[in-house]
Amino acid sequence: MAAETQPKALTRRPLLLNKVEGSQEVVNMAAIVPKEDGVISVSEDRTVRVWLKRDSGQYWPSIYHAMPSPCSCMSFNPETRRLSIGLDNGTISEFILSEDYNKMTLVKSYQAHQSRVMMILFVLEMEWILSTGQDKHFTWHCSESGQRLGGYRTSAGACGLQFDVETRHVFVGDHSGQVTILKLEQESCSLVTTFKGHTGGVTALCWDPIQRVLFSGSSDHSIIMWDIGGRKGTAIELQGHNDKVQSLSYAHHTRQLISCGADGGIVVWNMDVERQETPEWLDSDSCQKCDQPFFWNFKQMWDSKKIGLRQHHCRKCGKAVCGKCSSKRSSIPLMGFEFEVRVCDSCHESITDEERAPTATFHDSKHNIVHVHFDATRGWLLTSGTDKVIKLWDMTPVVS
């Protein structure tokens, strides 16, 4: 990863508390058990495990349950101890865990999708099970009756799924890079809008119901913050990963976004700052600084007897410029660029040291992270990776 440059207020690193090992395949999702020293995990090796911390300080399975198909995702509701598990064969199985977390009892199963279940949400207030699948469908079921209430076909397989209880809006992010907003009724749904800002597929969504902001992570390595509640259509980009963003979590009490990616990075973003939208890239047939023609501008090349130049864009002003007029690089954290990016020479001179002050901290988890779960009450972060390992981190030195 790029060299770390961190603000003074957030210089301490996450503390690795424990490793949970024993899965035979990728751990696709894991969650911290609230008020317990425990972890629930689902894996590609078809197992559901509940790990409880023993006197030795290590986590050992109190439940080891084999499913008929690889486990792709899960949703755990602590109030009801209801565990919903999505499978590779399209089934969602629902279990109730015992109070001592030593037993799980099957309640019902839903044939929700025709192929792999990608994401599940259990909404206690409505008694709904929401899910997305590789079959390009979003569906929702009644968790009391098991009845399918409705569905919607997305433009591609969907990984991101979030729900706003107050407005009954569901957010679905798919592999085409599009985010779809639907309004759900008891047995019907209506399309509110769709928006697209990523050049790669949407891999993760995170919803802040207080600020009414949606975060989307993508395989294009970027995160976009969408202003949903303000209805301004504002889209703020955050560039801090060197590989695809895999999972997002939000700490409401500190207004910090936690993003994790295939690069092994854990990035903590300070969202309590006034951020700026990145400008639209302007079109031009010649450099908007020195007027040199670009290589496709044959007429100006002929008239001026000059060889055309390659076009670049300044990330700060958006102007089309040649390489000579954009020879400098700079970070622009308030625009989301934590790493150095191309800027034109005049913008480079205008950026102050204060404007270059980082608004995020970077940490190496040393594994390819598939999913994260954040427990705000204890400040613990759980990361599960392709290395079959679950890591538990104390984030209180960082998220504070």
Side-chain angles (χ1 to χ4, degrees), residues 84 92 94 110 120-122 128-131 139-141 143:
S84 306
I92 297 174
E94 198 170 87
Y110 315 82
I120 304 174
L121 285 179
F122 170 65
W128 287 349
I129 288 280
L130 315 180
S131 63
T139 66
W140 75 104
H141 291 74
S143 62

Side-chain angles (χ1 to χ4, degrees), residues 171-189:
F171 307 95
V172 182
D174 63 47
H175 290 313
S176 74
Q178 182 172 284
V179 177
T180 302
I181 303 180
L182 304 170
K183 175 69 178 290
L184 297 192
E185 303 298 343
Q186 186 59 32
E187 296 184 8
S188 66
C189 72

Side-chain angles (χ1 to χ4, degrees), residues 215-392:
F215 300 95
S216 60
S218 171
S219 58
D220 64 10
H221 310 179
S222 75
I223 301 162
I224 297 180
M225 180 181 78
W226 307 90
D227 179 9
I228 304 296
R231 302 185 184 279
K232 300 172 185 175
T234 307
I236 306 292
E237 287 188 44
L238 303 174
Q239 302 280 353
H241 285 277
N242 293 312
D243 206 333
K244 64 181 176 180
V245 179
Q246 300 272 49
S247 189
L248 300 170
S249 188
Y250 190 69
H252 301 276
H253 62 298
T254 58
R255 293 194 64 186
Q256 287 175 297
L257 177 71
I258 302 169
S259 63
C260 297
D263 57 4
I266 300 174
V267 184
V268 181
W269 304 85
N270 178 13
M271 301 311 299
D272 198 21
V273 294
E274 194 66 35
R275 294 187 176 272
Q276 304 166 18
E277 272 193 287
T278 51
E280 293 286 337
W281 283 5
L282 301 176
D283 292 324
S284 179
D285 290 329
S286 57
C287 176
Q288 293 180 301
K289 293 293 182 179
C290 69
D291 202 37
Q292 284 274 78
F294 294 133
F295 62 82
W296 61 82
N297 188 352
F298 298 112
K299 185 179 185 305
Q300 189 177 345
M301 286 165 57
W302 177 265
D303 292 343
S304 63
K305 301 295 189 291
K306 292 178 179 178
I307 298 174
L309 303 175
R310 184 183 174 190
Q311 177 184 258
H312 300 282
H313 283 92
C314 173
R315 299 316 193 259
K316 190 174 193 304
C317 67
K319 287 183 178 179
V321 289
C322 67
K324 186 177 179 181
C325 294
S326 58
S327 60
K328 305 291 178 58
R329 301 289 185 275
S330 177
S331 60
I332 322 173
L334 294 180
M335 281 188 168
F337 297 112
E338 293 289 334
F339 302 150
E340 290 191 343
V341 290
R342 181 185 293 272
V343 292
C344 67
D345 292 354
S346 56
C347 281
H348 187 271
E349 292 174 6
S350 71
I351 301 172
T352 65
D353 289 342
E354 186 178 11
E355 289 175 315
R356 289 190 178 94
T359 61
T361 57
F362 300 86
H363 315 282
D364 188 2
S365 70
K366 292 184 168 53
H367 68 158
N368 179 332
I369 298 173
V370 176
H371 189 263
V372 299
H373 178 243
F374 181 63
D375 181 353
T377 59
R378 287 179 281 190
W380 289 359
L381 184 76
L382 198 68
T383 61
S384 49
T386 56
D387 56 1
K388 312 170 191 176
V389 176
I390 302 167
K391 293 184 178 181
L392 187 64

